[in-house]
Amino acid sequence: MKRILSMLTALAGVGAVTGAWAEEVAVLTPYLSSVATNDMVETFTGNSEAKGWSVNVVDTRGDFQQLASRIEDVTNAGVDAIVLVSVDPNQVGDQVAAAAEKGIPVFALDGALADGVSANITTDNFALGTILSDYLFEALGGEGNIVKFFHSAHPGVRQRELALDKALEENSNIKVIAEHYVQVPGPIDNARQAMETFIRQHGEEIDGVWAAWDEPAIGALLALQSDMPDSDIVIAGIDGNPQAVDLIGQCTNLVATVRQDFAGIARAAVEEIGAVFDGGQPSGKEIFVDAMVVDRESLGADCE
């Protein structure tokens, strides 16, 4: 009998240890179809599960009302942490506040700061927009007409757009002659259709394309290859999407992207959340991960 009791006690101890490591993390995003967002979610999930955490991923496919409802669901379920990916937490502020009031830490990846958010792990998106704008303007020789593709609902993309506005103020010879709010999901097709319209409207008046991320840049390129295959229009984007990098290396009109380290953002988030699970605090409210330019030169592409 003593032996049986001893075994039960040991098993109970194992269960307690297992439970202690089985933290439940809810990952929510409306943009899982985005290559960059999916990269962060996949890396975060893999690194979290390696720590013994249980991860539940929720994709609301662009539906922010559903996103708010699902945050409420996981809050009521009593998860140990909530991770919002590619979301401005201010758009679901009531739900974030409710989670924080219950003692559930909320982290943003490639997002923004808001009341109730423990930390936002991201790239300095204003800096990304500045790098993109400066690169494109220099490629155009400091003058010309550009087309702008943007999506202000995403907090990071909005910062890139603000950086473009500032760059335009400082470069009066660059003009935005057309712009398009890109629909998500389906940004490549949506941008392609918009670019086809811009080509019909403006044709060779267009000198460059400023794309707030790579999918619209790819869409613009596809339209250009179909409707103006001999054009020298310069296209540049942000994120380091593998398809975009491949197209840059092929010497297409897509000449550059500013690559974010999305896997690095996810890994940093896992470490910050781990610190909180261990009873500590995040290393900061806003944690930045570095980025780099990827262009023909950095890829060693011979485009002569």
Side-chain angles (χ1 to χ4, degrees):
M1 184 68 177
K2 288 183 179 179
R3 184 179 178 186
I4 292 174
L5 288 173
S6 177
M7 289 175 63
L8 289 173
T9 301
L11 288 171
V14 170
V17 172
T18 302
W21 283 101
E23 284 88 353
E24 295 184 6
V25 181
V27 178
L28 302 100
T29 180
Y31 300 127
L32 194 61
S33 62
S34 164
V35 172
T37 300
N38 187 69
D39 187 10
M40 283 185 283
V41 171
E42 289 289 331
T43 302
F44 180 88
T45 300
N47 282 259
S48 296
E49 291 178 346
K51 286 182 172 289
W53 305 346
S54 174
V55 180
N56 177 33
V57 177
V58 177
D59 175 26
T60 64
R61 303 184 180 219
D63 189 331
F64 277 81
Q65 184 173 356
Q66 186 185 8
L67 178 68
S69 296
R70 298 305 298 272
I71 295 172
E72 292 172 359
D73 291 343
V74 299
T75 298
N76 292 332
V79 297
D80 295 294
I82 293 173
V83 176
L84 303 178
V85 187
S86 302
V87 173
D88 182 352
N90 293 287
Q91 294 178 280
V92 284
D94 291 343
Q95 289 72 26
V96 169
E101 287 173 8
K102 287 193 67 171
I104 300 173
V106 179
F107 289 81
L109 276 64
D110 191 31
L113 289 176
D115 290 342
V117 172
S118 298
N120 175 40
I121 301 95
T122 186
T123 309
D124 185 338
N125 279 283
F126 192 90
L128 288 173
T130 300
I131 294 168
L132 167 61
S133 302
D134 290 348
Y135 189 100
L136 181 62
F137 292 3
E138 183 176 349
L140 295 176
E143 61 181 4
N145 299 319
I146 65 172
V147 171
K148 167 186 169 185
F149 288 94
F150 65 105
H151 184 84
S152 302
H154 185 292
V157 174
R158 175 59 179 157
Q159 286 298 309
R160 300 169 193 180
E161 186 184 352
L162 293 174
L164 171 63
D165 292 343
K166 185 174 186 297
L168 288 168
E169 291 176 2
E170 298 170 353
N171 294 269
S172 59
N173 291 325
I174 301 288
K175 307 292 184 185
V176 176
I177 61 171
E179 60 182 50
H180 177 68
Y181 184 97
V182 180
Q183 299 301 310
V184 178
I188 293 179
D189 287 341
N190 185 254
R192 176 175 182 163
Q193 292 168 9
M195 188 66 185
E196 288 171 348
T197 299
F198 295 152
I199 289 172
R200 288 193 297 270
Q201 293 174 337
H202 303 285
E204 297 194 8
E205 293 178 29
I206 303 171
D207 298 301
V209 173
W210 185 98
W213 74 106
D214 285 334
E215 276 95 337
I218 294 168
L221 174 64
L222 293 175
L224 200 61
Q225 289 176 329
S226 174
D227 296 354
M228 293 180 66
D230 297 324
S231 171
D232 59 359
I233 290 174
V234 177
I235 303 172
I238 293 175
D239 284 345
N241 178 307
Q243 185 180 356
V245 172
D246 185 52
L247 290 166
I248 293 167
Q250 293 178 28
C251 301
T252 66
N253 296 75
L254 179 52
V255 300
T257 181
V258 185
R259 174 184 276 160
Q260 296 191 77
D261 185 0
F262 289 111
I265 289 173
R267 288 192 295 269
V270 171
E271 294 306 312
E272 297 295 333
I273 294 170
V276 172
F277 284 166
D278 289 340
Q281 296 292 326
S283 61
K285 292 292 288 184
E286 194 144 48
I287 300 157
F288 292 126
V289 177
D290 290 337
M292 61 179 288
V293 172
V294 178
D295 59 8
R296 296 169 176 177
E297 181 178 358
S298 67
L299 294 174
D302 183 3
C303 299
E304 295 300 325

